[in-house]
Amino acid sequence: MPKSPRTVSRVRARVFVRPVARPLAVAAVTLAAGAVLTGCSGSDSWNPFDHHEQRSEYATGAEAKKARTSMPRWLPDDATDIKYVLSTTGDDRLIAAKFKDAEPPAECVTGKGAAKAQGNPKLEADWFPKDLAAKVDTQCGTWSGATVDGTFYAWQDHDVVQKSPRTEQPR
């Protein structure tokens, strides 16, 4: 028995809708995957399109060291206002912190004659002084830094870390 016109139109409607729905579903999945791959999934990176850096802020040194194994161990637990940038493709790092007594930790060597810049900062952040390499007066293992306006700023250069003894490399 031949199909009624009503049945034929339903079949055509399904065939017509499916080709439109499938590309929309593929587009939705592609956008979701793109968001995850670019870091829009809630990571601590400030720039979701930056695949080679991670940026973090912590209230205290203890919180920072608990959250990240790459955080320098010389950072005092009672340090505050921690800002941190790390390269995900090497050992380049930037850090800013305020110390309770405004002095670098005891593990660090201080003084213009005792400390010299090790390598150069390769990362950038709007909060990190551009001319810090000229002000270096503190060395904490493979980190070079200085206190500017009450905040301690330091960097670690990947090349310096690679040349240093294994015991000084970050975890």
Side-chain angles (χ1 to χ4, degrees):
M1 181 180 266
K3 295 181 179 179
S4 69
R6 188 172 171 168
T7 305
V8 171
S9 65
R10 279 191 203 159
V11 171
R12 284 186 187 156
R14 273 192 239 151
V15 170
F16 179 73
V17 171
R18 274 196 164 155
V20 171
R22 186 171 289 151
L24 289 176
V26 169
V29 169
T30 302
L31 286 174
V36 169
L37 293 174
T38 60
C40 293
S41 61
S43 76
D44 57 353
S45 175
W46 292 342
N47 183 351
F49 300 104
D50 185 358
H51 299 293
H52 303 292
E53 291 179 6
Q54 289 184 354
R55 298 170 183 256
S56 308
E57 291 188 13
Y58 303 96
T60 67
E63 179 186 324
K65 290 190 288 188
K66 183 178 178 183
R68 291 198 172 270
T69 58
S70 64
M71 195 64 61
R73 300 294 110 186
W74 51 257
L75 181 69
D77 288 347
D78 62 356
T80 59
D81 300 324
I82 314 301
K83 294 180 182 177
Y84 186 63
V85 179
L86 71 93
S87 168
T88 60
T89 59
D91 297 312
D92 293 305
R93 311 273 191 267
L94 299 178
I95 195 167
K98 292 186 179 182
F99 299 139
K100 182 179 173 183
D101 58 2
E103 295 294 323
E107 299 92 334
C108 300
V109 176
T110 59
K112 286 282 185 192
K116 62 179 183 172
Q118 300 182 96
N120 294 300
K122 294 193 175 95
L123 300 174
E124 294 181 1
D126 58 354
W127 47 263
F128 195 82
K130 302 267 186 250
D131 60 344
L132 190 66
K135 298 176 182 178
V136 168
D137 64 359
T138 306
Q139 191 172 331
C140 303
T142 56
W143 292 75
S144 299
T147 300
V148 178
D149 297 327
T151 300
F152 181 72
Y153 297 94
W155 80 87
Q156 178 178 265
D157 182 325
H158 170 80
D159 297 329
V160 171
V161 172
Q162 294 304 307
K163 293 175 186 174
S164 70
R166 201 73 173 144
T167 57
E168 290 184 21
Q169 291 189 15
R171 301 176 185 202

